């Protein structure tokens, strides 16, 4: 309230000052119109005490003082107007006029030049400037000082005369004065330079037998040319303040620069220390060490069957050691588990190439071949699986591998026999009839019956083109009824056994993978289509969608990690805090359980989880005990 009262009083004072100032300003204008310049000057000067930032008022006041021939005061007002607005032409015009009538033509020319620059169309200003230029030229051609003044100082006996004069002989002890005398003797015109020196004036007064009053009159006659222009004390004080401010700012700037330099030096020292520490760490931990660290973490997740987390750790390890054969082999193992057989096969083939260059041991070479064989076996390509199991046994003979090879070989032989039996019972005509029935069922939206017909067709006609047609139709129907896994198996069979360059199969496979949120695998399939058919216009939209899903998954993973870090941090903080002691031992045990604390927080903040937890009788019992003992409240 006190602050508001002060603000109100200040505003009220400003308003009153403005009103009084405007009244005086208008009154001065009336005097000006009546050609009463003395009263106008007086009234406007009084108005400037109220309107201290009105540059026009100061310029008008300067004009009024000039009309009553008070040129010094006119110059003061003009200088204040220039200070308030350095771009106001009339202020420079007023200053130039005052300087002209004070006889300071050179200074007047400077002000006239500035005024003409700001107001180039003003004819009166240009005429006044020419008049001033003419006066300045005439002044240069005339001797400023009377000749008899110069003759005083060219007198060879001047020093003796001064020495004999008891009034002024003391000045001969001044070495500076003796230097000035020598300079004037050599050049009479230099007398003008020292005409205001009190010692020179004493010599002139003594030799011309003039007292101080008459000497002043003599100087009045010569109009004191060469004297510096009259300066407004207000502006002089302001300039002094500005100089002091600049000095303070300069000192502050220097101090700031010094502080910045000190900070930079400190930062350099800190950086050097950090670099030394990092170098020490680098010496301690190499890229291979980091790779091993992340590999171990990936192995832990793999054992726990957390395959996505394991894949992330293996990829992180590969950033430090991208050509590590065993790391890539581990990544292939994860890809096999999540069904990305094609990617796993590509990585294993790359590992085999690296193995040739790096000359790894037979045991490690065998591991890569086993992984490749497993990928082919899981994909359904038993023939290639048997080939690579055999190669693995050549590198490292293990009984387990022999057993797997025998099982795979037996399974392959059985498949071949089954296929031969089916071919012997093939009936293409009946297959076509069943295909027609399947199409009819499809039109009636009888999808299960259509699938049954397509499956029978596959056992009756083994021509490659027919098989391709039946598998395509069945995969399409599986997709319609959202049997994505079965649909994907059919498309994979087409690509593996019937047509490995079928872009339609690749395209449908990518759609299924996107629907399953397996964006990385989908993107790899789409890139395969791009290689086979660069002009395919359908894949652009799916590629954008795949990239978008990948980004979303990364963001979710990041948020999940942040939440996990926060949870662990809170858990640590709770552990560090001294637990509250309860009289009841059972209550104490419940409250010290960190998982129960998390559940309590979720019950408070999430209504859906509250309903879920209240379905658990054990939790309800614990919460009931806490409520009855007054430890918590559910209101």
């Amino acid at each position: 309230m006190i602050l508001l009262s002060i603000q109100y009083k200040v505003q009220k004072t400003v308003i009153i000052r403005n009103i009084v100032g405007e009244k005086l300003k208008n009154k001065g204008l009336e005097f000006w119109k009546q050609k009463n310049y003395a009263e106008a000057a007086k009234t406007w000067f009084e108005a400037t005490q109220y309107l201290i930032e009105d540059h026009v008022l100061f310029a008008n006041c300067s004009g009024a003082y000039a009309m009553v021939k008070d040129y010094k005061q006119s110059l003061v007002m003009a200088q204040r107007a220039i200070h308030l607005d350095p771009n106001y032409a009339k202020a420079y015009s007023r200053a130039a006029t005052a300087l002209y009538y004070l006889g300071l033509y050179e200074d007047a020319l400077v002000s006239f030049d500035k005024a003409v620059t700001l107001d180039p169309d003003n004819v009166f200003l240009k005429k006044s400037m020419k008049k001033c230029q003419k006066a300045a030229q005439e002044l240069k051609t005339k001797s400023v000082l009377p000749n008899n003044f110069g003759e005083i100082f060219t007198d060879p006996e001047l020093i003796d005369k001064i020495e004999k004069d008891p009034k002024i002989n003391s000045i001969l002890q001044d070495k500076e004065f003796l230097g000035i005398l020598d300079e004037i003797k050599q050049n009479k015109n230099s007398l003008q330079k020292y005409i205001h020196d009190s010692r020179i004036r004493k010599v002139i007064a003594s030799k011309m037998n003039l007292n101080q009053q008459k000497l002043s009159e003599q100087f009045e006659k010569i109009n004191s040319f060469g004297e510096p222009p009259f300066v407004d004390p207000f502006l002089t004080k302001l300039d002094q303040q500005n100089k002091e401010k600049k000095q303070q700012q300069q000192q502050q700037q220097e101090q700031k620069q010094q502080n910045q330099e000190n900070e930079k030096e400190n930062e350099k020292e800190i950086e050097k220390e950090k670099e030394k520490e990092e170098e020490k760490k680098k010496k301690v931990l190499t890229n291979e060490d980091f790779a091993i660290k992340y590999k171990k973490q990936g192995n832990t997740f793999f054992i726990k069957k957390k395959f996505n987390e394991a894949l992330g750790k293996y990829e992180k390890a590969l950033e430090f050691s991208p050509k590590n054969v065993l790391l890539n082999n581990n990544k292939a193992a994860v890809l096999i588990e999540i069904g990305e057989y094609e990617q796993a096969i590509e990585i294993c083939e790359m590992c085999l190439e690296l193995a040739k260059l790096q000359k790894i041991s037979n045991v490690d070479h065998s591991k890569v071949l086993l992984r490749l064989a497993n990928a082919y076996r899981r994909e359904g390509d038993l023939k290639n699986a048997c080939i690579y199991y055999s190669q693995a046994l050549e590198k490292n003979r293990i009984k387990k591998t022999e057993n797997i090879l025998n099982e795979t070989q037996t399974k392959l032989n059985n498949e071949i026999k089954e296929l031969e039996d089916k071919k012997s019972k093939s009936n293409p005509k009946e297959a076509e009839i069943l295909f027609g029935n399947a199409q009819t069922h499809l039109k009636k939206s009888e999808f299960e019956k259509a699938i049954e017909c397509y499956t029978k067709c596959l056992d009756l006609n083994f021509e490659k083109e027919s098989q391709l047609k039946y598998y395509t139709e069945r995969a399409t129907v599986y997709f319609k009824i959202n049997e994505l896994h079965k649909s994907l198996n059919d498309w994979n069979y087409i690509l593996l056994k019937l047509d490995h360059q079928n872009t339609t199969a690749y395209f449908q496979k990518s759609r299924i993978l996107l629907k399953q949120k397996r964006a990385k695998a989908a993107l790899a399939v789409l890139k395969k289509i791009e290689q086979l058919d660069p002009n395919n216009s359908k894949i652009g939209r799916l590629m954008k969608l795949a990239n978008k899903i990948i980004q979303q998954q990364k963001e979710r993973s990041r948020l999940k990690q942040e939440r996990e870090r926060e949870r662990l941090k809170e858990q640590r903080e709770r552990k560090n805090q001294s637990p509250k002691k309860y009289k009841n031992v059972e209550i104490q045990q419940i409250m010290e359980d960190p998982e129960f604390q998390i559940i309590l927080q979720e019950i408070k903040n999430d209504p859906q989880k509250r309903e879920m937890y209240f379905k658990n009788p054990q939790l309800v019992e614990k919460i009931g005990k806490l409520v009855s003992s007054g430890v918590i409240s559910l209101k």
Side-chain angles (χ1 to χ4, degrees):
M1 290 297 291
I2 295 168
L3 183 62
L4 289 171
S5 176
I6 292 167
Q7 288 177 345
Y8 173 74
K9 287 178 181 179
V10 170
Q11 289 174 356
K12 187 177 178 182
T13 305
V14 171
I15 292 166
I16 292 168
R17 286 175 65 85
N18 288 339
I19 292 168
V20 174
E22 287 296 330
K23 283 183 179 180
L24 289 168
K25 184 178 176 181
N26 294 332
K27 189 177 178 182
L29 186 61
E30 291 297 323
F31 284 126
W32 178 271
K33 288 177 181 178
Q34 296 168 11
K35 297 186 178 182
N36 188 350
Y37 302 120
E39 287 298 322
K42 183 180 176 183
T43 308
W44 274 336
F45 180 78
E46 192 177 349
T48 59
Q49 308 305 308
Y50 295 96
L51 304 173
I52 57 175
E53 294 183 357
D54 192 335
H55 61 282
V56 176
L57 175 62
F58 279 100
N60 290 345
C61 189
S62 174
Y65 277 119
M67 294 303 290
V68 295
K69 298 184 180 181
D70 188 350
Y71 299 116
K72 286 188 178 182
Q73 192 60 23
S74 175
L75 180 60
V76 169
M77 294 293 107
Q79 285 176 332
R80 290 201 183 185
I82 291 167
H83 178 75
L84 290 168
D85 186 358
N87 296 316
Y88 187 42
K90 187 179 278 189
Y92 287 101
S93 172
R94 299 293 192 209
T97 303
L99 288 164
Y100 174 82
Y101 284 106
L102 287 169
L104 303 167
Y105 303 132
E106 294 296 332
D107 295 305
L109 281 172
V110 174
S111 294
F112 273 126
D113 184 56
K114 185 69 177 177
V116 170
T117 304
L118 292 169
D119 189 5
D121 299 328
N122 194 319
V123 179
F124 175 77
L125 271 177
K126 290 177 181 178
K127 285 182 179 180
S128 300
M129 188 174 177
K130 285 181 181 179
K131 184 179 177 183
C132 186
Q133 286 172 341
K134 187 177 178 182
Q137 191 64 34
E138 287 176 358
L139 179 64
K140 286 179 182 178
T141 57
K142 291 180 180 179
S143 175
V144 177
L145 296 170
N147 290 328
N148 55 352
F149 276 21
E151 290 171 1
I152 292 170
F153 294 94
T154 55
D155 184 359
E157 298 178 356
L158 177 63
I159 299 295
D160 295 332
K161 291 178 180 178
I162 294 172
E163 195 173 6
K164 291 174 182 178
D165 191 336
K167 292 180 181 180
I168 61 171
N169 59 6
S170 59
I171 61 176
L172 291 174
Q173 296 175 6
D174 190 340
K175 290 182 180 180
E176 184 186 1
F177 173 71
L178 294 174
I180 292 169
L181 285 181
D182 290 338
E183 187 179 342
I184 295 169
K185 280 181 184 179
Q186 292 173 10
N187 183 7
K188 284 184 184 181
N189 294 330
S190 62
L191 176 60
Q192 174 137 353
K193 183 178 174 182
Y194 303 104
I195 194 65
H196 300 290
D197 191 301
S198 60
R199 296 165 296 185
I200 296 295
R201 288 194 176 196
K202 284 179 181 179
V203 173
I204 293 170
S206 173
K207 297 301 138 190
M208 294 185 69
N209 297 319
L210 296 171
N211 56 26
Q212 286 297 321
Q213 186 177 356
K214 287 184 178 180
L215 183 64
S216 298
E217 289 173 0
Q218 187 72 16
F219 275 94
E220 288 284 336
K221 288 179 183 178
I222 63 172
N223 203 26
S224 298
F225 293 125
E227 186 179 353
F230 180 79
V231 179
D232 180 5
F234 167 78
L235 295 178
T236 305
K237 186 178 179 181
L238 198 63
D239 289 340
Q240 185 63 29
Q241 289 174 352
N242 290 335
K243 283 181 182 178
E244 288 174 0
K245 281 183 182 178
K246 284 181 181 178
Q247 286 176 354
Q248 288 177 357
Q249 288 174 357
Q250 190 173 357
Q251 289 174 357
Q252 289 174 357
Q253 188 69 23
E254 287 174 357
Q255 186 64 37
K256 190 177 179 181
Q257 287 178 353
Q258 186 64 36
N259 292 338
Q260 287 176 349
E261 287 175 2
N262 292 337
E263 285 176 5
K264 285 180 180 178
E265 287 177 2
N266 292 335
E267 285 175 2
K268 285 180 181 178
E269 289 178 3
I270 292 166
E271 285 176 4
K272 284 180 181 178
E273 288 177 3
K274 284 183 179 178
E275 285 174 2
K276 287 178 181 178
E277 287 177 3
E278 286 174 3
E279 284 175 4
K280 287 179 182 177
K281 286 180 182 178
K282 285 178 182 177
K283 288 177 183 177
V284 175
L285 291 173
T286 61
N287 283 348
E288 198 63 34
D289 294 325
F290 282 113
I292 291 166
K293 175 188 170 184
Y294 287 114
K295 179 188 173 184
K296 286 179 179 178
Q297 291 176 1
N299 292 344
T300 305
F301 282 121
F302 187 85
I303 292 164
K304 293 178 180 178
K305 295 187 177 182
K306 294 182 178 181
F307 300 119
N308 289 325
E309 288 84 349
L311 182 61
K313 293 298 178 182
Y314 288 139
E315 286 177 345
K316 190 75 177 173
L318 285 166
E319 289 177 12
F320 294 97
S321 184
K323 293 184 179 180
N324 188 308
V325 174
L326 294 179
L327 268 176
N328 280 292
N329 198 39
N330 285 7
K331 182 181 176 182
V334 179
L335 292 169
I336 290 167
E337 292 299 329
I338 62 176
E340 305 296 343
Y341 306 120
E342 289 181 7
Q343 281 184 267
I345 290 165
E346 284 180 11
I347 289 171
C348 288
E349 287 173 349
M350 181 190 74
C351 286
L352 291 174
E353 293 297 322
L354 290 170
K356 290 176 185 177
L357 296 170
Q358 296 176 13
K359 296 180 181 179
I360 62 172
S361 67
N362 285 339
V363 174
D364 291 341
H365 205 143
S366 174
K367 287 180 181 178
V368 176
L369 290 165
L370 277 171
R371 194 79 70 212
L372 184 55
N374 288 336
Y376 277 120
R377 183 168 61 85
R378 293 280 289 272
E379 193 180 35
D381 189 350
L382 300 178
K383 186 178 178 181
N384 276 322
C386 289
I387 291 168
Y388 287 107
Y389 279 132
S390 299
Q391 290 182 12
L393 281 169
E394 288 174 9
K395 295 288 181 183
N396 186 22
R397 186 159 290 278
I398 301 173
K399 192 172 182 180
K400 186 179 178 181
T401 308
E402 286 181 2
N403 293 337
I404 294 170
L405 174 59
N406 292 333
E407 287 175 10
T408 309
Q409 191 70 54
T410 304
K411 194 175 180 181
L412 179 61
N413 292 334
N414 291 336
E415 282 186 2
I416 292 168
K417 283 181 182 179
E418 284 178 11
L419 186 61
E420 286 175 355
D421 290 342
K422 285 179 181 179
K423 282 183 179 179
S424 65
K425 296 176 184 179
S426 67
N427 189 343
K429 288 182 180 180
E430 190 179 345
E432 287 303 310
I433 292 167
L434 285 167
F435 183 77
N437 293 340
Q439 297 299 97
T440 304
H441 289 309
L442 198 60
K443 288 176 183 177
K444 293 178 181 180
S445 299
E446 296 172 346
F447 300 117
E448 295 294 336
K449 290 181 179 180
I451 289 168
E452 190 179 344
C453 290
Y454 289 134
T455 306
K456 288 178 181 179
C457 288
L458 290 168
D459 294 333
L460 293 171
N461 191 345
F462 293 92
E463 290 180 3
K464 191 174 181 179
E465 291 181 3
S466 298
Q467 289 272 310
L468 181 61
K469 180 172 69 173
Y470 302 149
Y471 272 110
T472 301
E473 291 296 331
R474 191 173 74 169
T476 306
V477 177
Y478 275 135
F479 186 80
K480 281 183 180 179
I481 63 174
N482 211 31
E483 291 280 354
L484 300 179
H485 183 69
K486 291 180 179 179
S487 179
L488 185 62
N489 286 341
D490 280 354
W491 291 118
N492 280 333
Y493 184 86
I494 290 168
L495 292 167
L496 183 66
K497 299 289 180 72
L498 301 174
D499 183 5
H500 66 277
Q501 291 188 344
N502 191 313
T503 53
T504 303
Y506 278 119
F507 185 78
Q508 295 301 330
K509 183 179 177 180
S510 67
R511 286 182 66 198
I512 293 167
L513 291 170
L514 283 172
K515 210 165 183 182
Q516 291 176 336
K517 301 297 181 184
R518 294 162 65 185
K520 286 184 179 179
L523 197 60
V525 173
L526 290 167
K527 286 179 180 177
K528 185 74 175 176
I529 299 171
E530 196 173 31
Q531 290 174 0
L532 295 169
D533 184 10
N535 299 322
N536 194 318
S537 58
K538 295 180 181 179
I539 61 172
R541 183 179 62 82
L542 292 182
M543 275 189 161
K544 286 181 182 177
L545 181 60
N547 285 318
K548 185 179 178 181
I549 292 170
I550 289 167
Q551 291 300 322
Q552 288 173 348
Q553 287 173 345
K554 284 181 180 178
E555 183 63 20
R556 280 197 293 271
S557 176
R558 186 184 66 79
L559 292 171
K560 187 179 177 182
Q561 288 174 0
E562 284 183 3
R563 284 196 294 271
E564 183 64 18
R565 281 197 293 269
E566 287 176 5
R567 189 185 69 78
L568 291 171
K569 186 180 177 183
E570 288 175 3
Q571 202 171 13
R572 283 195 298 271
E573 287 175 355
R574 281 197 297 273
K575 283 182 181 178
N576 293 332
Q577 290 173 356
S578 56
K580 187 176 178 180
K581 299 293 180 183
Y582 297 94
K583 292 180 180 179
N584 191 315
V585 177
E586 191 178 4
I587 298 294
Q588 182 73 33
Q589 289 174 350
I590 293 169
M591 292 304 292
E592 285 180 354
D593 184 357
E595 290 183 4
F596 186 78
Q597 290 293 332
I598 294 167
I599 290 168
L600 280 179
Q601 289 295 325
E602 289 178 347
I603 288 170
K604 288 179 183 178
N605 301 326
D606 193 340
Q608 292 180 351
K609 287 190 176 180
R610 185 187 304 160
E611 291 177 5
M612 182 184 75
Y613 286 131
F614 280 178
K615 291 176 183 177
N616 187 328
Q618 292 178 348
L619 281 175
V620 171
E621 185 182 354
K622 286 182 180 180
I623 292 166
K625 287 177 181 179
L626 295 176
V627 172
S628 60
S629 62
V631 175
I632 63 170
S633 174
L634 296 177
K635 290 181 180 180

